[in-house]
Amino acid sequence: MNESYLKHWIPYRLIKKEGNYSCQWLYTNGDPFTGPFFNESINKCMSHRYNSSAFKPSSDLSILSAWASGLNSIAPTAFIFHVSRCGSTLISQSLCLNNNHIVLPEVPFIDELLRLSKIDDWSLPLNRGELIKAVIKIYGQTAEGAGKHLFIKTDSWHIHFMPLLRKLYPDVPFILLYRKPDEIIRSHQKLRGMQAVPGVIPNELLGIENGKIDHADFDGHTIKVLENYFEAFIRASQQDPLTLLLNYNEGIINMMQRFCNFTGLVLNKADWVQIEARSHFNAKYPNQVFHEEQPDETTPAYQQQAFNYYHELEKLRIAQIATT
């Protein structure tokens, strides 16, 4: 396909009908994806006449690889994995400050495809890996001379898809962000993310065995999710030299400096000034000044295993710093 036909169009919704899958397309008008979450960018696009009309353009999934093959697109610079509430949104928002960066923060369509790849009886006449790469290529399309880096911030449960994504992108750095378990729990107690509410995200995507957690025990569920995330990070950092561990408590400037050193990203003085200014505001609500409560020093017994994994990650992170 002529790449001009796909200019400013992205597949954004998976449709299943009578066992067959197709995707619905969204016109972006070339507007940059600068919101903390991709759903915000989608909502802004919905007001365009192409998206608000009764006609909703759609296509079969099987055509995506062929259509993506001829696009002028940026290869991923890094994947950003995170355990939630650990600074990943602030990092992605910092990267958005530079117009040469395309940042994809928790894209719903990529999540739908990764979930689809979990189906054991995959019956689609498609290579799931090629399909995921095609979609990322479409999302990374850019005009000639515009855009130099593509960053993909995953949903937190995509941690468990790291082996698949590593097979697809063997040379792309994986950034692994984490934080102390008690601080994450307190954040979710104020406003829970989807993975912190039992039953919202399927247990198999979170690495939780069905029936092992009381659905009424929100904190018990969340800590088990974190244990599995931390454990996956430990495995990845021990086995994959292209992983970088970042702890929220390093602070945004230190995290961004290590991020840049690891990925080869070069930021100018104006970028750093903007990042410093942005760090004073809430990552998810940019108009709100950021305020963080001081944590309670007492560690509840149910969090102990998560803390054991956290301390193991700290050893691995310190070892990484010592060798760079």
Side-chain angles (χ1 to χ4, degrees):
M1 170 179 277
N2 187 317
E3 73 174 278
S4 63
Y5 296 156
L6 283 185
K7 187 177 181 180
H8 306 326
W9 286 92
I10 56 172
Y12 85 105
R13 177 178 293 169
L14 194 65
I15 302 170
K16 182 179 181 181
K17 186 176 181 181
E18 298 177 353
N20 296 316
Y21 290 91
S22 60
C23 60
Q24 193 167 315
W25 290 76
L26 182 80
Y27 185 70
T28 68
N29 198 37
D31 296 333
F33 309 134
T34 58
F37 300 100
F38 203 80
N39 270 328
E40 296 179 22
S41 297
I42 290 175
N43 291 337
K44 288 180 181 178
C45 293
M46 283 301 180
S47 61
H48 193 278
R49 61 187 179 91
Y50 288 174
N51 301 317
S52 58
S53 69
F55 173 73
K56 305 296 183 184
S58 62
S59 68
D60 193 275
L61 287 181
S62 62
I63 202 66
L64 295 185
S65 294
W67 283 1
S69 63
L71 292 179
N72 182 32
S73 182
I74 305 172
T77 301
F79 284 86
I80 301 170
F81 298 91
H82 61 96
V83 300
S84 80
R85 313 298 169 90
C86 59
S88 63
T89 301
L90 184 54
I91 282 184
S92 66
Q93 284 286 281
S94 297
L95 293 168
C96 280
L97 296 171
N98 189 308
N99 292 332
N100 285 323
H101 302 162
I102 297 175
V103 182
L104 304 177
E106 303 186 10
V107 177
F109 192 69
I110 294 177
D111 179 47
E112 287 184 307
L113 288 182
L114 287 172
R115 293 189 189 208
L116 191 61
S117 74
K118 275 284 189 181
I119 298 176
D120 293 332
D121 58 345
W122 175 283
S123 57
L124 300 178
L126 304 170
N127 181 298
R128 66 188 77 185
E130 289 182 2
L131 182 59
I132 292 168
K133 291 186 73 172
V135 168
I136 289 176
K137 189 170 184 179
I138 293 170
Y139 272 79
Q141 62 181 303
T142 180
E144 188 68 36
K148 295 181 179 178
H149 295 284
L150 173 64
F151 302 97
I152 300 169
K153 177 196 166 192
T154 67
D155 289 291
S156 68
W157 53 91
H158 295 168
I159 287 171
H160 299 302
F161 290 93
M162 283 193 294
L164 171 62
L165 291 170
R166 175 51 79 213
K167 288 180 181 178
L168 300 180
Y169 297 95
D171 302 318
V172 176
F174 283 5
I175 311 301
L176 316 182
L177 281 92
Y178 65 100
R179 186 181 184 181
K180 290 177 65 178
D182 58 333
E183 295 173 354
I184 299 173
I185 291 289
R186 272 193 295 275
S187 178
H188 281 297
Q189 287 171 340
K190 295 177 185 176
L191 182 62
R192 291 190 178 272
M194 292 190 293
Q195 74 279 7
V197 179
V200 174
I201 301 298
N203 282 341
E204 56 266 30
L205 296 180
L206 299 171
I208 294 177
E209 188 177 344
N210 287 325
K212 293 295 184 180
I213 303 293
D214 182 356
H215 276 221
D217 184 3
F218 281 31
D219 287 346
H221 170 85
T222 305
I223 204 66
K224 186 60 181 176
V225 170
L226 292 178
E227 288 175 12
N228 292 340
Y229 286 173
F230 288 160
E231 195 172 14
F233 271 9
I234 291 170
R235 286 195 302 271
S237 61
Q238 289 174 335
Q239 300 169 8
D240 188 344
L242 281 178
T243 57
L244 176 70
L245 290 167
L246 294 178
N247 188 330
Y248 171 87
N249 293 311
E250 294 180 59
I252 183 60
I253 298 300
N254 287 335
M255 285 197 297
M256 284 301 300
Q257 287 174 339
R258 294 185 60 221
F259 183 104
C260 290
N261 291 339
F262 193 74
T263 61
L265 179 67
V266 177
L267 299 178
N268 59 41
K269 186 175 181 180
D271 291 330
W272 288 110
V273 170
Q274 290 187 82
I275 291 171
E276 170 64 27
R278 182 67 182 83
S279 69
H280 297 292
F281 293 85
N282 192 296
K284 295 178 175 62
Y285 308 101
N287 294 323
Q288 296 181 12
V289 175
F290 180 70
H291 172 71
E292 186 170 18
E293 295 181 2
Q294 293 300 315
D296 185 351
E297 295 299 326
T298 304
T299 301
Y302 78 96
Q303 296 181 10
Q304 191 57 57
Q305 183 58 56
F307 263 98
N308 291 342
Y309 290 142
Y310 170 82
H311 293 312
E312 182 64 26
L313 282 172
E314 280 294 87
K315 293 176 183 178
L316 293 167
R317 180 180 67 89
I318 292 170
Q320 284 185 348
I321 292 174
T323 57
T324 56

